[in-house]
Every structure is written in structure tokens, then in C-alpha cells.
Amino acid sequence: EQLEGEGISVIMTREEDVYPNLTERADLANQEEADLYISIHVNALENNDSYAGIYTFYHPDKPSDKALAEAIQAAVTSASGGIDRGVESEDYAVLRNTEMSAVLIETGFMSCPEELIKLQDAEYQKLLAQGIAQGILDYLF
């Protein structure tokens, strides 16, 4: 909604509790000839309930996407006050299989009880969304 309010067209890969596979998600973005692909996730670690924070990833073969990742990481951590775990490159399928600039954001760790409480809070989710939207706008303009 925030991006649409700025005149940006947004296509969601899902708006219901359905799970298209990773190839289907990338294919949809490619078919729609999207300018950007933003994949939003919540992380978890086995046997570690204290690790928390926000990461943003870009594909190692698409170094130009690092600027998008940095813009979103800076804005989302600033807006939410979440721990800044930084920007990294990874060979994730949705980053590899998209033809446009693409990033994957891990908004926190649900395996950390304190962070899980925040991630379930509608106001915190709004802060995350505002930060992601602001990062996209900072990158585009």
C-alpha cells in the first residue's frame, strides 16, 4: 500500500495462505517484467534462541543488486530499530532465477522469543513495511 501510494505498481506473489514454489515466484516476476523483486521472509535457527536481527541478501552474480540491498537494509533497520546484521550475497533461487534486480530480506528470527513477539506485533510489522518501502524509494529515486 505504501509503494502504491507513491505511484508504484506492486504485484504480490501471494495474498493468501498459499505457497507457490520458488521457481513459480521468479517466473511470475519475469513474466510480468517487473523492475524489482523483493522477497520478504522471517528467519529461524535450530538450537539457538538468542540470535536476532535483520539481513538483506543479493545474488553474487548480480553485484549491481548490492545497492538495492544496502538501501533496504539501512531503511528497514532504521525504521524498525531492529539489529542490523548487514548485507550479504547468497545463491538463493529467487535471486538467481529473477531477471531483474532482486533482494531477499530476513526481517528477524522467530526462533528468538523476544524477536518473535515483535514480529507478531502489527505495529512492528508496519515499521518493517515502512522501512522496506522507504528503502525501495531511496533506491529508485
Side-chain angles (χ1 to χ4, degrees):
E1 292 172 2
Q2 294 169 40
L3 291 171
E4 289 172 334
E6 296 291 331
I8 295 173
S9 176
V10 175
I11 300 166
M12 303 291 284
T13 58
R14 62 188 186 114
E15 294 190 40
E16 300 175 343
D17 203 13
V18 295
Y19 297 93
N21 68 40
L22 300 176
T23 301
E24 293 169 335
R25 295 173 198 193
D27 287 348
L28 173 64
N30 294 333
Q31 290 167 6
E32 293 293 330
E33 297 180 356
D35 295 316
L36 300 175
Y37 182 90
I38 313 298
S39 189
I40 304 169
H41 299 261
V42 177
N43 215 334
L45 288 174
E46 284 188 61
N47 303 319
N48 188 333
D49 63 359
S50 63
Y51 199 78
I54 299 168
Y55 283 97
T56 304
F57 298 93
Y58 66 97
H59 195 272
D61 291 342
K62 298 162 121 183
S64 60
D65 293 359
K66 184 177 182 182
L68 173 60
E70 289 172 337
I72 291 174
Q73 180 72 13
V76 75
T77 55
S78 176
S80 68
I83 297 169
D84 187 347
R85 293 287 176 192
V87 169
E88 296 184 14
S89 65
E90 287 289 340
D91 185 27
Y92 294 138
V94 293
L95 302 179
R96 180 180 59 249
N97 296 332
T98 47
E99 296 167 1
M100 69 290 306
S101 292
V103 298
L104 185 149
I105 304 153
E106 292 285 2
T107 58
F109 286 79
M110 62 183 164
S111 51
C112 174
E114 296 83 11
E115 196 157 61
L116 178 59
I117 290 168
K118 290 192 321 186
L119 290 164
Q120 292 174 318
D121 179 71
E123 288 303 311
Y124 187 73
Q125 291 172 12
K126 186 176 180 177
L127 293 174
L128 291 169
Q130 288 171 339
I132 293 167
Q134 187 60 55
I136 292 167
L137 294 170
D138 292 346
Y139 174 78
L140 291 174
F141 306 107

